[in-house]
Amino acid sequence: QVHLVESGGGLVQAGGFLRLSCAASGSIFSINYMGWYRQAPGKQRELVARIHSGGSLDYADSVKGRFIISRDNAKNTVYLHANSLKPEDTAVYYCNAFAGYIDYWGQGTQVTVSS
């Protein structure tokens, strides 16, 4: 079992910055990768960024060059540094961990970007 707790969402103006955090606990040794997904109203949940246990990174095309995913192994925490935010980035952001062939999800944190 892996437990994920997110923080850092909020309301920001277009062009602004937010840092989302996701702290993992439980069977963290079994995590293959962690990342962030988002879901806007009326849309499917989509991958934003992911960091693999070996350090390789994946980004959605829509956030490349603006968002950066990083991790602090000592704190078992993954961060999403969201720069140059756009109104279309507005969504509920979910932390995800894949461990032991199971997807784990956080409770979600709302990010709203005003124009």
Side-chain angles (χ1 to χ4, degrees), residues 32-111:
N32 299 106
Y33 55 76
M34 287 183 66
W36 293 91
Y37 284 71
R38 68 185 180 188
Q39 188 167 18
K43 295 189 176 181
Q44 288 190 331
R45 190 172 297 189
E46 63 176 1
L47 174 68
V48 177
R50 182 166 55 202
I51 182 166
H52 295 258
S53 57
S56 61
L57 307 176
D58 301 314
Y59 290 100
D61 288 342
S62 59
V63 305
K64 282 181 182 176
R66 299 188 298 122
F67 290 13
I68 297 173
I69 189 169
S70 66
R71 68 186 177 196
D72 184 332
N73 290 330
K75 295 181 179 180
N76 300 320
T77 299
V78 169
Y79 302 98
L80 185 68
H81 309 261
N83 301 289
S84 302
L85 283 160
K86 304 176 181 180
E88 51 264 43
D89 295 316
T90 295
V92 178
Y93 283 68
Y94 296 91
C95 181
N96 167 261
F98 184 73
Y101 303 102
I102 298 173
D103 273 312
Y104 295 93
W105 298 94
Q107 79 280 6
T109 185
Q110 177 70 45
V111 171

